[in-house]
């Protein structure tokens, strides 16, 4: 059966980072999540897509980069979304990717285990962005894990010079979430 793993298989894991900057704290957090997930065939999805515009879709069809992203989502056993908070919501980059993927044939998100994590400079660690992302994911009928919620506050100070989380409580929560995601990916 497609998407099912046996106990000896290595799951495929897709990471999506809602920040484009190479040194973003959400990219660092995504790296920590991948390490906590354990052995996997990991790939990161490319969110450098044209702005969604139905005129582009009508004139030229779905852009190749969008099709590749949708195929990667469909092929993955699980997805981690690192969601920054920009102006109290998810980033335009991430929302744009969701909008484009929603236009592809089929629904690559259907029943896909998804973990949402985030890092933000504010004291709440991006809670509003994660709430907005959860709402945006509802139409896709993905299996978005309810928790534990991973919201790294004051993110510029949360990582050491090696890009590792400094605070043990964040590491524990992230490890717990990734164990749950792994269990969902391999069930």
């Amino acid at each position: 059966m497609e998407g099912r793993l046996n106990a000896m298989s290595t799951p495929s894991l897709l990471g999506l980072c809602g920040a484009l900057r190479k040194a973003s704290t959400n990219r660092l957090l995504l790296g920590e999540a991948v390490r906590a997930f354990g052995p996997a065939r990991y790939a990161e999805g490319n969110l450098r897509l044209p702005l969604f515009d139905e005129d582009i879709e009508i004139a030229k069809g779905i852009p190749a980069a969008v099709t590749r992203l949708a195929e990667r989502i469909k092929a993955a056993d699980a997805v981690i979304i690192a969601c920054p908070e920009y102006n109290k919501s998810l980033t335009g980059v991430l929302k744009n990717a969701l909008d484009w993927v929603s236009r592809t044939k089929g629904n690559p998100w259907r029943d896909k285990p998804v973990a949402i994590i985030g890092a933000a400079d504010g004291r709440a660690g991006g809670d509003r962005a994660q709430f907005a992302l959860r709402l945006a994911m509802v139409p896709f009928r993905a299996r978005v894990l309810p928790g534990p919620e991973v919201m790294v506050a004051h993110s510029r100070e949360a990582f050491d010079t090696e890009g590792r989380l400094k605070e043990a409580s964040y590491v524990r929560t992230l490890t717990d979430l990734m164990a749950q995601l792994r269990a969902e990916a391999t069930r």
Side-chain angles (χ1 to χ4, degrees), residues 104-182:
T104 63
K105 296 280 186 228
N107 178 2
W109 291 107
R110 180 68 187 251
D111 297 322
K112 186 75 55 186
V114 176
I116 296 173
I117 59 176
D121 260 346
R123 69 180 184 272
D127 61 340
R128 290 179 179 162
Q130 286 195 27
F131 180 73
L133 177 57
R134 287 177 188 281
L135 287 176
M137 294 296 293
V138 168
F140 302 128
R141 298 176 71 182
R143 292 191 340 250
V144 179
L145 299 180
E149 295 175 312
V150 176
M151 298 179 213
V152 177
H154 306 290
S155 63
R156 290 179 198 230
E157 292 86 38
F159 296 89
D160 65 20
T161 57
E162 302 297 315
R164 305 302 299 263
L165 281 168
K166 292 191 239 179
E167 195 169 314
S169 64
Y170 287 144
V171 173
R172 279 192 306 273
T173 305
L174 182 61
T175 300
D176 184 5
L177 181 63
M178 290 302 101
Q180 289 184 43
L181 185 62
R182 184 174 202 85

Side-chain angles (χ1 to χ4, degrees), residues 3-60:
R4 292 288 185 208
L5 296 170
N6 65 43
M8 301 302 288
S9 296
T10 303
S12 61
L13 182 63
L14 179 66
L16 302 178
C17 185
L20 296 178
R21 189 170 57 89
K22 282 185 180 187
S24 80
T25 56
N26 278 275
R27 192 163 309 284
L28 294 174
L29 183 59
L30 186 57
E32 288 285 79
V34 171
R35 280 188 283 281
F37 185 86
R41 294 182 319 275
Y42 177 72
E44 188 172 324
N46 178 13
L47 301 189
R48 289 184 185 276
L49 306 171
L51 288 176
F52 175 75
D53 181 342
E54 196 171 359
D55 288 338
I56 292 172
E57 182 182 3
I58 291 167
K60 300 176 184 178

